[in-house]
Protein backbone atom coordinates (compact mmCIF):
# COMPACT_ATOMS: atom_id res chain seq x y z
CA UNK A 1 0.00 0.00 0.00
CA UNK A 2 1.04 3.61 -0.41
CA UNK A 3 0.50 6.30 2.21
CA UNK A 4 0.19 9.71 0.58
CA UNK A 5 -0.18 13.01 2.43
CA UNK A 6 0.07 15.73 -0.21
CA UNK A 7 1.11 19.28 0.54
CA UNK A 8 1.83 18.99 4.24
CA UNK A 9 3.58 22.28 3.61
CA UNK A 10 3.52 24.32 0.40
CA UNK A 11 6.87 22.79 -0.53
CA UNK A 12 6.56 19.24 0.89
CA UNK A 13 4.34 16.20 0.30
CA UNK A 14 4.76 12.88 2.10
CA UNK A 15 4.62 9.52 0.33
CA UNK A 16 5.62 6.11 1.64
CA UNK A 17 5.09 2.56 0.45
CA UNK A 18 4.40 0.00 3.17
CA UNK A 19 3.46 -3.69 3.29
CA UNK A 20 0.46 -4.96 5.27
CA UNK A 21 2.81 -6.74 7.67
CA UNK A 22 4.68 -3.50 8.38
CA UNK A 23 1.43 -1.58 8.99
CA UNK A 24 0.04 -4.26 11.29
CA UNK A 25 3.32 -4.38 13.19
CA UNK A 26 3.13 -0.63 13.82
CA UNK A 27 -0.54 -0.60 14.84
CA UNK A 28 -0.96 -3.91 16.68
CA UNK A 29 -0.34 -2.55 20.19
CA UNK A 30 -2.62 0.45 19.61
CA UNK A 31 -5.49 -1.73 18.37
CA UNK A 32 -4.97 -4.16 21.25
CA UNK A 33 -5.78 -1.35 23.70
CA UNK A 34 -9.40 -1.44 22.55
CA UNK A 35 -9.84 -4.94 24.00
CA UNK A 36 -10.33 -3.58 27.52
CA UNK A 37 -13.01 -1.14 26.29
CA UNK A 38 -14.89 -3.92 24.50
CA UNK A 39 -14.88 -6.17 27.57
CA UNK A 40 -15.88 -3.24 29.79
CA UNK A 41 -18.82 -2.47 27.49
CA UNK A 42 -20.04 -6.05 27.81
CA UNK A 43 -19.67 -5.94 31.59
CA UNK A 44 -21.50 -2.61 31.87
CA UNK A 45 -24.36 -4.03 29.78
CA UNK A 46 -24.35 -7.20 31.95
CA UNK A 47 -23.97 -9.32 28.81
CA UNK A 48 -21.62 -11.96 27.49
CA UNK A 49 -20.35 -12.12 23.92
CA UNK A 50 -22.55 -15.15 23.23
CA UNK A 51 -25.63 -13.01 24.01
CA UNK A 52 -24.97 -10.74 21.02
CA UNK A 53 -26.50 -11.26 17.58
CA UNK A 54 -24.13 -9.03 15.63
CA UNK A 55 -21.04 -6.87 16.05
CA UNK A 56 -21.35 -4.01 13.56
CA UNK A 57 -18.08 -2.45 12.39
CA UNK A 58 -18.05 1.27 11.53
CA UNK A 59 -15.21 3.77 11.19
CA UNK A 60 -12.50 3.79 8.56
CA UNK A 61 -10.00 1.67 10.48
CA UNK A 62 -12.42 -1.28 10.58
CA UNK A 63 -11.39 -1.95 6.98
CA UNK A 64 -8.10 -3.31 8.30
CA UNK A 65 -7.98 -7.12 8.40
CA UNK A 66 -6.12 -6.90 11.73
CA UNK A 67 -8.99 -4.93 13.31
CA UNK A 68 -11.53 -7.44 12.05
CA UNK A 69 -9.50 -10.39 13.33
CA UNK A 70 -9.15 -8.83 16.78
CA UNK A 71 -12.85 -7.97 17.01
CA UNK A 72 -13.75 -11.52 15.96
CA UNK A 73 -11.41 -12.87 18.64
CA UNK A 74 -12.68 -10.58 21.44
CA UNK A 75 -16.37 -11.24 20.77
CA UNK A 76 -16.02 -14.83 19.55
CA UNK A 77 -17.53 -13.91 16.20
CA UNK A 78 -18.41 -16.61 13.71
CA UNK A 79 -16.40 -15.98 10.54
CA UNK A 80 -18.63 -16.55 7.53
CA UNK A 81 -20.07 -14.48 4.72
CA UNK A 82 -23.65 -15.62 4.38
CA UNK A 83 -26.32 -16.88 6.75
CA UNK A 84 -29.84 -18.07 6.06
CA UNK A 85 -32.01 -18.69 9.09
CA UNK A 86 -29.60 -19.98 11.73
CA UNK A 87 -27.58 -22.05 9.26
CA UNK A 88 -24.02 -21.14 8.33
CA UNK A 89 -23.34 -21.50 4.63
CA UNK A 90 -19.81 -22.58 3.86
CA UNK A 91 -17.43 -25.50 3.82
CA UNK A 92 -18.27 -26.76 7.31
CA UNK A 93 -22.09 -26.45 7.15
CA UNK A 94 -22.78 -25.98 10.85
CA UNK A 95 -24.71 -23.60 13.07
CA UNK A 96 -22.80 -20.57 14.25
CA UNK A 97 -21.91 -20.26 17.94
CA UNK A 98 -20.99 -16.58 18.12
CA UNK A 99 -22.31 -13.19 16.95
CA UNK A 100 -22.15 -12.20 13.31
CA UNK A 101 -19.27 -9.92 12.35
CA UNK A 102 -21.26 -7.40 10.31
CA UNK A 103 -19.14 -5.48 7.78
CA UNK A 104 -22.05 -4.54 5.51
CA UNK A 105 -22.09 -0.84 6.49
CA UNK A 106 -19.95 1.79 4.78
CA UNK A 107 -17.59 2.62 7.68
CA UNK A 108 -17.04 6.26 6.71
CA UNK A 109 -20.65 7.06 5.82
CA UNK A 110 -21.90 5.56 9.10
CA UNK A 111 -19.73 7.94 11.14
CA UNK A 112 -20.60 10.94 8.99
CA UNK A 113 -24.32 10.14 9.16
CA UNK A 114 -24.25 9.86 12.96
CA UNK A 115 -22.43 13.19 13.28
CA UNK A 116 -24.91 14.85 10.91
CA UNK A 117 -27.91 13.55 12.84
CA UNK A 118 -26.46 14.75 16.14
CA UNK A 119 -25.72 18.19 14.66
CA UNK A 120 -29.30 18.48 13.42
CA UNK A 121 -30.65 17.48 16.84
CA UNK A 122 -28.48 20.07 18.58
CA UNK A 123 -29.59 22.77 16.13
CA UNK A 124 -33.25 21.93 16.80
CA UNK A 125 -33.97 20.54 13.35
CA UNK A 126 -34.90 17.01 14.47
CA UNK A 127 -37.72 16.86 17.01
CA UNK A 128 -38.65 13.20 16.66
CA UNK A 129 -35.20 11.67 17.17
CA UNK A 130 -32.96 11.48 20.22
CA UNK A 131 -29.41 10.16 20.50
CA UNK A 132 -29.12 8.96 24.09
CA UNK A 133 -26.20 10.00 26.28
CA UNK A 134 -25.06 8.14 29.38
CA UNK A 135 -23.24 8.98 32.59
CA UNK A 136 -19.52 8.23 32.11
CA UNK A 137 -18.97 7.53 35.83
CA UNK A 138 -21.09 6.68 38.86
CA UNK A 139 -22.51 9.46 41.06
CA UNK A 140 -23.20 9.26 44.78
CA UNK A 141 -22.55 10.72 48.22
CA UNK A 142 -20.11 10.06 51.05
CA UNK A 143 -21.55 8.08 53.95
CA UNK A 144 -20.37 7.54 57.53
CA UNK A 145 -17.01 5.80 57.51
CA UNK A 146 -15.77 7.48 54.33
CA UNK A 147 -17.46 5.16 51.83
CA UNK A 148 -19.18 6.19 48.59
CA UNK A 149 -22.85 5.27 48.29
CA UNK A 150 -23.76 5.13 44.58
CA UNK A 151 -27.09 6.76 43.64
CA UNK A 152 -26.78 6.91 39.83
CA UNK A 153 -24.64 4.07 38.43
CA UNK A 154 -22.21 4.47 35.56
CA UNK A 155 -23.73 4.22 32.06
CA UNK A 156 -27.21 5.31 33.20
CA UNK A 157 -29.19 6.85 30.33
CA UNK A 158 -29.65 10.64 30.53
CA UNK A 159 -31.95 12.28 31.59
CA UNK A 160 -32.21 10.30 34.83
CA UNK A 161 -33.49 10.74 38.38
CA UNK A 162 -32.76 8.57 41.43
CA UNK A 163 -32.63 8.92 45.20
CA UNK A 164 -32.33 7.27 48.61
CA UNK A 165 -33.15 8.05 52.24
CA UNK A 166 -30.34 8.42 54.79
CA UNK A 167 -30.20 8.81 58.55
CA UNK A 168 -27.74 9.94 61.20
CA UNK A 169 -24.99 7.91 62.86
CA UNK A 170 -24.43 10.18 65.88
CA UNK A 171 -26.83 11.14 68.69
CA UNK A 172 -28.17 14.73 68.64
CA UNK A 173 -26.65 15.47 65.26
CA UNK A 174 -27.90 18.94 64.16
CA UNK A 175 -27.25 18.61 60.41
CA UNK A 176 -26.01 16.35 57.64
CA UNK A 177 -23.19 17.03 55.20
CA UNK A 178 -24.07 16.08 51.62
CA UNK A 179 -20.75 15.42 49.88
CA UNK A 180 -21.39 14.70 46.19
CA UNK A 181 -18.94 12.33 44.51
CA UNK A 182 -18.22 10.99 41.03
CA UNK A 183 -16.13 7.90 40.35
CA UNK A 184 -15.84 4.13 40.54
CA UNK A 185 -13.85 3.60 43.75
CA UNK A 186 -15.30 2.32 47.03
CA UNK A 187 -13.83 5.01 49.30
CA UNK A 188 -14.88 8.63 49.01
CA UNK A 189 -11.31 9.96 49.10
CA UNK A 190 -10.45 8.05 45.92
CA UNK A 191 -13.27 9.63 43.88
CA UNK A 192 -13.81 13.14 42.52
CA UNK A 193 -15.58 15.68 44.71
CA UNK A 194 -18.27 17.66 42.86
CA UNK A 195 -19.41 19.76 45.82
CA UNK A 196 -20.64 19.86 49.42
CA UNK A 197 -23.54 21.41 51.30
CA UNK A 198 -25.35 20.82 54.60
CA UNK A 199 -29.01 20.47 55.55
CA UNK A 200 -30.17 21.26 59.09
CA UNK A 201 -32.81 19.35 61.06
CA UNK A 202 -34.04 18.87 64.63
CA UNK A 203 -31.63 17.14 67.00
CA UNK A 204 -32.65 13.57 67.82
CA UNK A 205 -31.15 10.20 68.73
CA UNK A 206 -29.17 8.59 65.92
CA UNK A 207 -31.25 6.78 63.36
CA UNK A 208 -34.31 9.00 63.94
CA UNK A 209 -33.79 11.91 61.50
CA UNK A 210 -34.49 10.97 57.88
CA UNK A 211 -33.05 12.88 54.93
CA UNK A 212 -34.04 12.09 51.36
CA UNK A 213 -31.31 12.71 48.79
CA UNK A 214 -32.24 12.87 45.10
CA UNK A 215 -29.95 13.18 42.09
CA UNK A 216 -31.35 14.43 38.79
CA UNK A 217 -29.37 14.84 35.56
CA UNK A 218 -31.22 16.87 32.94
CA UNK A 219 -31.00 16.54 29.16
CA UNK A 220 -28.03 18.95 29.14
CA UNK A 221 -26.08 16.75 31.54
CA UNK A 222 -26.34 19.16 34.49
CA UNK A 223 -26.60 17.46 37.89
CA UNK A 224 -29.14 18.80 40.40
CA UNK A 225 -28.92 17.48 43.98
CA UNK A 226 -31.90 17.74 46.33
CA UNK A 227 -31.75 17.07 50.07
CA UNK A 228 -35.03 17.06 52.04
CA UNK A 229 -35.75 16.69 55.76
CA UNK A 230 -38.52 14.11 55.53
CA UNK A 231 -40.10 15.18 58.84
CA UNK A 232 -40.47 18.90 58.09
CA UNK A 233 -40.34 18.92 54.30
CA UNK A 234 -37.55 21.52 54.34
CA UNK A 235 -35.32 21.04 51.33
CA UNK A 236 -32.23 22.38 49.60
CA UNK A 237 -31.52 22.06 45.86
CA UNK A 238 -27.99 22.61 44.57
CA UNK A 239 -26.94 22.66 40.92
CA UNK A 240 -23.60 20.95 40.31
CA UNK A 241 -21.42 21.05 37.22
CA UNK A 242 -22.06 18.85 34.21
CA UNK A 243 -22.02 15.17 35.09
CA UNK A 244 -21.20 14.10 31.51
CA UNK A 245 -18.74 16.75 30.32
CA UNK A 246 -15.72 14.83 31.57
CA UNK A 247 -12.39 14.39 29.80
CA UNK A 248 -12.21 10.94 28.20
CA UNK A 249 -8.66 10.40 29.44
CA UNK A 250 -9.72 11.14 33.02
CA UNK A 251 -12.67 8.75 32.76
CA UNK A 252 -10.36 6.06 31.40
CA UNK A 253 -7.90 6.66 34.22
CA UNK A 254 -10.65 6.38 36.84
CA UNK A 255 -12.00 3.15 35.33
CA UNK A 256 -8.51 1.64 35.08
CA UNK A 257 -7.78 2.54 38.71
CA UNK A 258 -11.06 0.97 39.82
CA UNK A 259 -10.09 -2.27 38.08
CA UNK A 260 -6.51 -2.16 39.37
CA UNK A 261 -7.57 -1.60 42.99
CA UNK A 262 -10.80 -3.61 42.89
CA UNK A 263 -9.75 -6.23 45.47
CA UNK A 264 -8.13 -3.69 47.81
CA UNK A 265 -11.17 -1.42 47.58
CA UNK A 266 -13.56 -4.30 48.28
CA UNK A 267 -11.50 -5.34 51.29
CA UNK A 268 -11.49 -1.73 52.54
CA UNK A 269 -15.30 -1.50 52.22
CA UNK A 270 -15.74 -4.82 54.03
CA UNK A 271 -13.43 -3.64 56.81
CA UNK A 272 -15.13 -0.25 57.24
CA UNK A 273 -18.63 -1.77 57.29
CA UNK A 274 -17.55 -4.47 59.75
CA UNK A 275 -15.75 -1.86 61.87
CA UNK A 276 -18.83 0.35 62.11
CA UNK A 277 -21.04 -2.58 63.10
CA UNK A 278 -18.47 -3.84 65.62
CA UNK A 279 -18.18 -0.37 67.16
CA UNK A 280 -21.95 -0.22 67.68
CA UNK A 281 -21.98 -3.72 69.21
CA UNK A 282 -19.09 -2.92 71.57
CA UNK A 283 -20.72 0.32 72.72
CA UNK A 284 -24.09 -1.37 73.28
CA UNK A 285 -22.43 -4.20 75.21
CA UNK A 286 -20.47 -1.81 77.44
CA UNK A 287 -23.68 0.10 78.15
CA UNK A 288 -25.53 -3.13 78.93
CA UNK A 289 -22.85 -4.27 81.37
CA UNK A 290 -22.99 -0.89 83.12
CA UNK A 291 -26.78 -1.15 83.52
CA UNK A 292 -27.04 -4.83 84.44
CA UNK A 293 -23.60 -5.63 85.83
CA UNK A 294 -24.86 -6.49 89.32
CA UNK A 295 -27.40 -8.96 87.91
CA UNK A 296 -24.81 -10.94 85.90
CA UNK A 297 -23.02 -13.89 87.45
CA UNK A 298 -19.22 -13.68 87.50
CA UNK A 299 -18.63 -16.51 84.99
CA UNK A 300 -21.00 -15.08 82.38
CA UNK A 301 -19.61 -11.57 82.79
CA UNK A 302 -16.10 -12.95 82.27
CA UNK A 303 -17.19 -14.58 78.99
CA UNK A 304 -18.70 -11.31 77.78
CA UNK A 305 -15.57 -9.35 78.73
CA UNK A 306 -13.35 -11.86 76.87
CA UNK A 307 -15.51 -11.59 73.74
CA UNK A 308 -15.34 -7.79 74.00
CA UNK A 309 -11.54 -7.85 74.24
CA UNK A 310 -11.33 -10.13 71.21
CA UNK A 311 -13.25 -7.60 69.09
CA UNK A 312 -11.26 -4.65 70.43
CA UNK A 313 -7.96 -6.40 69.72
CA UNK A 314 -8.90 -6.89 66.05
CA UNK A 315 -9.99 -3.24 65.85
CA UNK A 316 -6.70 -2.12 67.41
CA UNK A 317 -4.74 -4.07 64.77
CA UNK A 318 -5.96 -1.71 62.03
CA UNK A 319 -3.18 -0.52 59.71
CA UNK A 320 -2.76 3.18 60.60
CA UNK A 321 -1.60 4.14 57.11
CA UNK A 322 -4.14 2.23 55.00
CA UNK A 323 -6.92 2.44 57.63
CA UNK A 324 -7.82 -1.21 56.98
CA UNK A 325 -7.63 -4.47 58.89
CA UNK A 326 -8.74 -8.07 58.58
CA UNK A 327 -12.53 -8.03 57.94
CA UNK A 328 -12.80 -11.83 58.27
CA UNK A 329 -11.29 -11.86 61.75
CA UNK A 330 -13.43 -8.91 62.79
CA UNK A 331 -16.65 -10.49 61.53
CA UNK A 332 -15.77 -13.73 63.34
CA UNK A 333 -15.06 -11.91 66.62
CA UNK A 334 -18.22 -9.79 66.25
CA UNK A 335 -20.34 -12.88 65.58
CA UNK A 336 -18.96 -14.49 68.76
CA UNK A 337 -19.79 -11.33 70.73
CA UNK A 338 -23.32 -11.26 69.29
CA UNK A 339 -23.81 -14.88 70.31
CA UNK A 340 -22.55 -14.50 73.86
CA UNK A 341 -24.52 -11.30 74.53
CA UNK A 342 -27.94 -12.70 73.64
CA UNK A 343 -28.60 -13.39 77.31
CA UNK A 344 -27.57 -9.81 78.17
CA UNK A 345 -29.89 -8.44 75.46
CA UNK A 346 -32.80 -10.44 76.88
CA UNK A 347 -32.10 -9.06 80.36
CA UNK A 348 -32.02 -5.49 79.02
CA UNK A 349 -35.32 -6.07 77.23
CA UNK A 350 -36.94 -7.33 80.45
CA UNK A 351 -35.70 -4.27 82.37
CA UNK A 352 -37.05 -1.95 79.66
CA UNK A 353 -40.45 -3.66 79.71
CA UNK A 354 -40.61 -3.49 83.52
CA UNK A 355 -39.79 0.23 83.42
CA UNK A 356 -42.52 0.86 80.85
CA UNK A 357 -45.13 -1.07 82.80
CA UNK A 358 -44.23 0.76 86.03
CA UNK A 359 -44.49 4.10 84.23
CA UNK A 360 -48.00 3.19 83.14
CA UNK A 361 -48.90 1.98 86.66
CA UNK A 362 -49.57 -1.58 85.57
CA UNK A 363 -47.14 -3.08 88.09
CA UNK A 364 -46.02 -1.81 91.53
Amino acid sequence: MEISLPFLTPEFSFSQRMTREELEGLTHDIIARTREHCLRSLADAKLEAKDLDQVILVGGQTRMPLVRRMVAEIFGCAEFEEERGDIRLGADHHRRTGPLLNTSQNPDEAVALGASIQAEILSGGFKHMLLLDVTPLSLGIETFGGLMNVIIPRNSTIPVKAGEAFTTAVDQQPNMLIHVLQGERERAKDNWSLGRFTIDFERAPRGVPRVGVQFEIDANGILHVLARDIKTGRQIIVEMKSAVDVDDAEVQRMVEESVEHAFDDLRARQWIEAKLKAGETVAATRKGIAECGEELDAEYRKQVEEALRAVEEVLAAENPQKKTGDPVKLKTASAALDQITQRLAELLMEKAMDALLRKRGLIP
Side-chain angles (χ1 to χ4, degrees), residues 135-140 148 150-155 181-184:
T135 54
L137 295 169
S138 299
L139 294 158
M148 174 176 174
V150 174
I151 294 179
I152 297 181
R154 178 173 180 261
N155 281 340
L181 302 167
Q182 184 174 34
E184 299 303 312

Side-chain angles (χ1 to χ4, degrees), residues 7-22:
F7 303 112
L8 289 176
T9 69
E11 298 81 21
F12 174 72
S13 297
F14 176 82
S15 180
Q16 175 71 39
R17 295 192 65 83
M18 183 179 294
T19 65
R20 176 188 291 181
E21 289 74 18
E22 290 173 330

Side-chain angles (χ1 to χ4, degrees), residues 263-278:
F263 291 106
D264 290 339
D265 284 357
L266 179 60
R267 184 181 178 87
R269 174 175 282 276
Q270 291 174 337
W271 168 256
I272 292 171
E273 290 176 345
K275 178 182 175 181
L276 292 174
K277 184 178 183 299

Side-chain angles (χ1 to χ4, degrees), residues 119 143 164 176 197 203 205 212 349:
T143 56
E164 286 188 37
M176 181 181 293
F197 65 94
R203 295 176 182 268
M349 182 63 71

Side-chain angles (χ1 to χ4, degrees), residues 220-357:
N220 296 316
I222 304 300
L223 172 63
H224 304 267
V225 180
L226 177 149
R228 177 186 293 123
D229 179 1
I230 295 177
K231 180 179 179 181
T232 64
R234 180 179 179 273
Q235 66 182 34
I236 298 175
I237 301 177
V238 178
E239 180 180 301
M240 301 289 174
K241 66 180 184 179
S242 172
V244 297
D245 187 16
V246 185
D247 183 73
D248 289 344
E250 290 299 308
V251 172
Q252 177 63 18
R253 181 180 63 81
M254 174 62 75
V255 173
E256 289 176 352
E257 287 179 355
S258 72
V259 174
E260 180 183 353
H261 299 286
F263 291 106
D264 290 339
D265 284 357
L266 179 60
R267 184 181 178 87
R269 174 175 282 276
Q270 291 174 337
W271 168 256
I272 292 171
E273 290 176 345
K275 178 182 175 181
L276 292 174
K277 184 178 183 299
E280 292 176 357
T281 305
V282 168
T285 303
R286 291 290 186 197
K287 183 178 179 181
I289 291 176
E291 291 181 10
C292 305
E294 296 180 358
E295 301 173 45
L296 303 177
D297 61 77
E299 180 60 26
Y300 176 69
R301 180 163 181 164
K302 179 182 178 182
Q303 293 175 356
V304 174
E305 293 283 1
E306 289 176 351
L308 271 172
R309 281 194 297 272
V311 173
E312 291 171 338
E313 286 173 3
V314 180
L315 289 171
E318 179 184 75
N319 185 309
Q321 282 77 37
K322 296 183 178 180
K323 300 295 182 182
T324 58
D326 190 331
V328 176
K329 286 184 178 180
L330 184 54
K331 288 179 182 178
T332 301
S334 295
L337 180 59
D338 284 338
Q339 181 66 30
I340 198 67
T341 54
Q342 285 184 6
R343 180 176 153 193
L344 175 60
E346 291 171 359
L347 182 57
L348 287 168
M349 182 63 71
E350 290 176 4
K351 289 175 69 70
M353 288 297 297
D354 287 345
L356 179 62
L357 293 174

Side-chain angles (χ1 to χ4, degrees), residues 15 23 29 31 34 62 65 80 82 91 98 102 110 119 175 184-185 192 206 215 224 226 262 282 302 317 363:
S15 180
L23 178 62
D29 291 344
I31 297 172
T34 64
T62 60
F80 54 88
E82 186 178 1
N102 187 332
N175 54 46
E184 299 303 312
R185 304 290 297 277
W192 302 335
R206 64 178 180 176
F215 281 18
H224 304 267
L226 177 149
V282 168
K302 179 182 178 182
I363 61 174

